[in-house]
Amino acid sequence: MSIVNLPGGRRLTLSTQGPWAKPAGPPSSRVAYAAAHVVADPLAENAPGAPAVLDWETTLAFRRHLWSHGLGVAEAMDTAQRGMGLDYAATKELIRRSAASAAACGGKIVAGVATDQLAPGPASLDQVRSAYAEQLADVLTAGAAPVLMCSRHMAATARDADDYLRIYGELLEQSDKPVVLHWLGTAFDPALEGYWGSSDVDKATETVLELINSNPARVDGIKISLLDADHEIRLRRRLPEGVRLYTGDDFNYPELIRGDERGYSDALLGIFAAIAPAAAAAFAALDRGDLAEYDRIFEPTVPLSRHIFTAPTFYYKTGIVFLAWLAGHQEHFTMVGGLQSGRSVPHFAKLIELADAAGLLPDPSLAAHRANRFFEVMAG
């Protein structure tokens, strides 16, 4: 039997549920991207403050896993530890390699454009503009579609909404592909307070809509990660025709993707890296109009996602990597920047229970073996 000896003396018998069936191809009813994590080289100096060193083959193998389930890959996003261990030299190489792998297998890929090649601290608006432009060129050269990520430097430097409209407008003109805009809330990164020129979400929303309405053909969509489903729906209903709302709401994604009589959200989600097989099966049910099956599959993934993304939310990457290790996608639980220390032993114990309930441990014996080794070392 596959038994995990949980801290405190409890014993958990893992499910023997078989693997999820892979779909014939990508979803037809929605566009879905999984924001993928990176796999560190466990024998390198991936300590806090050190340059990131990746296990390239395992990192790319995980992306092939996502593509095999019909999901697109959102590369070099927050899930890949942008601003939390992944420096820009490693990021640029990651985008290049991942885009080449996508081309080889016909997978969809978008990639993050930010300003993190700049040193932390103050920067001028011209420096922010140049940094964004450099990364945009790198992503386009690699062959990926760009995601214009929120920038800590932009948040610290911009004086008002006009600065955002000017910088983003210039970037849209420089791209030869429609871009995905990106609005990451302070739960994910406190340094982004006041993004789009105001701490008032309604005022910031008007700035975003002004930008999109001035450039509808240049904007594929906008990813919203504010963890506010009602706001997302209101914004979605005001977008120009043809501009997608990509939900980044890891708390409320099933109902936002399911939608209502006035529309739905597509998806660009960090949790999809952890629940890809279940997500693919849910999309297949949605494609054939089986909403009951769609709800049944996604329902147990929501408690798992809410646990992984619990406050402080920006440490969710630790749970994503821990689950990838338990599921057999990598041979260790080391992260760039030493981020494996970002969650507690009780957090991991509950994560295992919730992942098992959602059917996301494809090899229960392997998961139990690894979990028991971990708890033996970490909890005695």
Side-chain angles (χ1 to χ4, degrees), residues 1 6 30 33-34 61 67 69 81 83 92-93 108-109 115 124 128 146 158 164 193 271 310 320-321 331 357 371 373:
M1 297 179 67
L6 295 170
R30 303 290 188 271
Y33 291 99
W67 286 316
H69 284 282
Q81 296 182 237
K92 182 177 178 179
E93 182 66 7
K108 288 176 66 69
I109 186 169
T115 63
S124 70
V128 173
Y164 285 90
E193 177 68 38
I271 193 58
T310 194
I320 297 287
V321 175
E331 295 300 318
R373 288 167 55 203

Side-chain angles (χ1 to χ4, degrees), residues 250-267:
D250 300 279
F251 288 0
N252 303 293
Y253 52 93
E255 57 262 43
L256 290 166
I257 296 168
R258 195 183 203 270
D260 55 31
E261 69 282 356
R262 295 179 61 183
Y264 58 82
S265 296
D266 293 286

Side-chain angles (χ1 to χ4, degrees), residues 52-77:
V53 182
L54 303 188
D55 175 343
W56 289 111
E57 178 49 40
T58 308
T59 293
L60 295 174
F62 187 77
R63 282 133 182 83
R64 291 192 291 270
H65 155 72
L66 297 174
W67 286 316
S68 77
H69 284 282
L71 301 177
V73 168
E75 188 55 274
M77 301 289 292

Side-chain angles (χ1 to χ4, degrees), residues 240-326:
E241 185 176 356
V243 176
R244 299 180 183 275
L245 191 300
Y246 290 100
T247 186
D249 189 330
D250 300 279
F251 288 0
N252 303 293
Y253 52 93
E255 57 262 43
L256 290 166
I257 296 168
R258 195 183 203 270
D260 55 31
E261 69 282 356
R262 295 179 61 183
Y264 58 82
S265 296
D266 293 286
L268 196 165
L269 286 160
I271 193 58
F272 277 8
I275 69 168
F283 281 119
L286 186 63
D287 286 350
R288 61 178 183 267
D290 190 344
L291 296 180
E293 179 69 356
Y294 169 89
D295 291 339
R296 185 194 69 79
I297 294 169
F298 264 147
E299 183 179 6
T301 71
V302 174
L304 172 65
S305 186
R306 287 176 175 251
H307 179 66
I308 288 176
F309 284 80
T310 194
T313 302
F314 44 81
Y315 283 123
Y316 78 86
K317 299 93 168 172
T318 304
I320 297 287
V321 175
F322 186 72
L323 186 51
W325 175 55
L326 292 183

Side-chain angles (χ1 to χ4, degrees), residues 73-306:
V73 168
E75 188 55 274
M77 301 289 292
D78 189 55
T79 308
Q81 296 182 237
R82 294 294 291 270
M84 292 187 73
L86 191 73
D87 57 280
Y88 189 62
T91 297
K92 182 177 178 179
E93 182 66 7
L94 174 65
I95 294 170
R96 186 190 70 79
R97 292 188 186 222
S98 193
S101 292
C105 72
K108 288 176 66 69
I109 186 169
V110 295
V113 172
T115 63
D116 48 340
Q117 73 271 52
L118 297 176
S124 70
L125 209 56
D126 282 341
Q127 288 174 315
V128 173
R129 178 191 294 107
S130 296
Y132 260 137
E134 177 189 358
Q135 291 201 20
L136 176 61
D138 289 341
V139 167
L140 293 172
T141 298
V147 180
L148 297 184
M149 298 177 66
C150 292
S151 159
R152 292 172 181 171
H153 297 97
M154 187 73 184
T157 304
R159 295 159 297 182
D160 51 31
D162 288 341
D163 282 343
Y164 285 90
L165 293 171
R166 183 166 57 256
I167 296 297
Y168 274 82
E170 292 176 7
L171 293 169
L172 291 176
E173 290 182 0
Q174 292 170 27
S175 180
D176 59 10
K177 295 180 179 179
V179 311
V180 176
L181 300 174
H182 177 253
W183 189 354
L184 195 67
T186 53
F188 292 91
D189 189 344
L192 299 178
E193 177 68 38
Y195 214 79
W196 300 112
S198 177
S199 295
D200 183 313
V201 172
D202 290 336
K203 290 181 180 179
T205 298
E206 295 306 316
T207 301
V208 169
L209 285 168
E210 182 177 348
L211 175 66
I212 294 172
N213 286 323
S214 298
N215 302 274
R218 297 181 180 274
V219 178
D220 169 63
I222 179 167
K223 167 186 158 62
I224 299 291
S225 295
L226 299 183
L227 304 180
D228 182 340
D230 290 338
H231 172 266
E232 177 174 317
I233 292 169
R234 291 195 301 271
L235 175 57
R236 185 175 76 197
R237 290 174 176 172
R238 296 181 63 191
L239 291 175
E241 185 176 356
V243 176
R244 299 180 183 275
L245 191 300
Y246 290 100
T247 186
D249 189 330
D250 300 279
F251 288 0
N252 303 293
Y253 52 93
E255 57 262 43
L256 290 166
I257 296 168
R258 195 183 203 270
D260 55 31
E261 69 282 356
R262 295 179 61 183
Y264 58 82
S265 296
D266 293 286
L268 196 165
L269 286 160
I271 193 58
F272 277 8
I275 69 168
F283 281 119
L286 186 63
D287 286 350
R288 61 178 183 267
D290 190 344
L291 296 180
E293 179 69 356
Y294 169 89
D295 291 339
R296 185 194 69 79
I297 294 169
F298 264 147
E299 183 179 6
T301 71
V302 174
L304 172 65
S305 186
R306 287 176 175 251

